[in-house]
Amino acid sequence: MEMKMRGSFGVYSVTVSFLLCGCAMQATPPQAAISYPAVNVPAAGETAAVATQNADAADDPAIFGKPGGARFDFAGKTIDGLLLGTDKKAGLYVFALGGEVLQFLPDGLLNNVDLRPEGEGFVAGASARTPGRMGVALYRFDGASDVRPAGFIPADTGEPYGFCMGRIDDAPVAVLVLKDGQVRVYDLDLSQPAISGKERLRFAIGTQSEGCTVDDAAATLFVGEEDVGIWRYDLKAAPGTRISVAKARQGQLVDDVEGMSLLRDGGATYLIVSSQGDDAFAVWDVTGAAGSERYVGRFRVAPSGGVDGVSGTDGVDAWTGPIGRFGQGLVAMQDGDNDGQAQNFKLVDWAAVKAALGR
């Protein structure tokens, strides 16, 4: 039988087998996977809580800012940056970096969200799983007004779950991860007001999967198979061409493997992954070719300045470079507890993460 335990080193699993023969009982030696140490990083801010109470509701964030940290307008307000965040029971929030709600789009059951800059603003998408409307909900921000619906790509089968955006040869793509581990990659046509998508490729991961992120420069997709680990896929090779980056229950990740994001800093590309089972985040340097990934370390988000820490986290996103008061970059993540209130999203200074990890 398998027992989940929580101790001072996080969550670990112990598997014990029994062989009964008359009155005798023989047990195999326990096999425990205990997480590697994690350093504490202070919370630097938080958003307002989502409206859905007493439920697992907030799920995934996506960050947007202007090059060099320039300020910009959003619906008549001058701001430093935006944070999109899903309430998977209700729709899509748009927060300012100070945490206040700027906009709410009541678009139903949206799970994961991601975006890519377009012109002065961005194009965004979210995995939509409202019965009768399952697929990819698409949005646009023109750089000044507000976020507006801009199209829909229906899923051909299965329940949409994970979602991320990227570019292949500088052409925009949307990646939909179905709950059963099926993946659909769509080429996006941004030439019309209503964005459309055409399937480019499909493949199967294996079991339940969600978190994903695309390295545009390398046309590489990273995906979290929740009970298995992290896979790295080559989107320009044969469908399903992959290598394993890390496995769950081997110290760096405690399942579920959840949200993930990439951040570039000083010529290096870092992969940040939510280790939901022990309330931590693991970081890899994935700058080089497939197979050369290097584990960097793990961190947790600790209470600071009246903001509570992060636990049971799901989605995570990162912004490269200056944005608002975060001069070297920003990491945002869902907080599954939020000090007993409705769930929300926390902000962490990338400079503090780097310092804690000795980078």
Side-chain angles (χ1 to χ4, degrees), residues 63-335:
I63 305 167
F64 175 75
K66 289 295 184 79
R71 306 192 79 199
F72 59 97
D73 290 335
F74 181 92
K77 296 183 178 180
T78 302
I79 58 173
D80 297 318
L82 295 173
L83 177 70
L84 305 186
T86 58
D87 178 338
K88 59 188 177 185
K89 309 293 185 182
L92 182 66
Y93 281 89
V94 183
F95 301 98
L97 295 188
E100 65 270 28
V101 177
L102 297 175
Q103 184 183 0
F104 175 69
L105 293 89
D107 258 10
L109 310 185
L110 303 181
N111 204 53
N112 284 188
V113 63
D114 199 12
L115 60 82
R116 282 295 183 274
E118 179 201 22
E120 294 299 312
F122 61 75
V123 58
S127 51
R129 51 182 187 169
T130 302
R133 189 175 184 265
M134 293 197 178
V136 178
L138 295 161
Y139 305 89
R140 268 190 165 128
F141 171 58
D142 63 9
S145 56
D146 56 11
V147 176
R148 300 179 181 181
F152 189 82
I153 305 171
D156 62 336
T157 184
E159 180 184 354
Y161 212 48
F163 178 79
C164 52
M165 299 189 72
R167 294 182 178 276
I168 301 176
D169 295 329
D170 205 35
V173 297
V175 181
L176 181 64
V177 180
L178 302 176
K179 192 171 184 177
D180 63 2
Q182 294 288 323
V183 175
R184 307 287 185 264
V185 181
Y186 303 99
D187 288 316
L188 297 180
D189 182 353
L190 307 183
S191 64
Q192 302 297 320
I195 302 168
S196 59
K198 181 179 180 181
E199 186 176 306
R200 178 190 187 102
L201 59 90
R202 63 172 59 195
F203 53 87
I205 298 170
T207 62
Q208 183 167 311
S209 305
E210 183 178 4
C212 67
T213 187
V214 176
D215 184 338
D216 298 357
T220 296
L221 171 69
F222 296 90
V223 178
E225 189 174 4
E226 293 190 356
D227 294 329
V228 176
I230 305 167
W231 296 104
R232 177 174 182 159
Y233 287 86
D234 185 342
L235 294 178
K236 296 176 74 172
T241 302
R242 69 184 187 178
I243 69 163
S244 173
V245 175
K247 296 184 183 300
R249 304 187 187 187
Q250 292 190 348
Q252 299 150 349
L253 295 167
V254 179
D255 52 326
D256 290 348
V257 179
E258 289 288 347
M260 56 183 62
S261 185
L262 293 167
L263 185 146
R264 302 188 196 280
D265 186 357
T269 300
Y270 295 100
L271 175 67
I272 304 168
V273 181
S274 169
S275 175
Q276 188 181 64
D278 69 337
D279 308 326
F281 300 87
V283 182
W284 283 264
D285 184 331
V286 296
T287 308
S292 65
E293 301 84 4
R294 292 186 296 109
Y295 172 70
V296 172
R298 289 161 36 88
F299 69 93
R300 291 191 178 93
V301 181
S304 179
V307 180
D308 60 304
V310 171
S311 60
T313 188
D314 201 321
V316 62
D317 193 39
W319 181 261
T320 296
I323 182 170
R325 58 193 172 93
F326 304 100
Q328 297 183 44
L330 170 65
V331 184
M333 61 281 288
Q334 180 256 17
D335 181 11

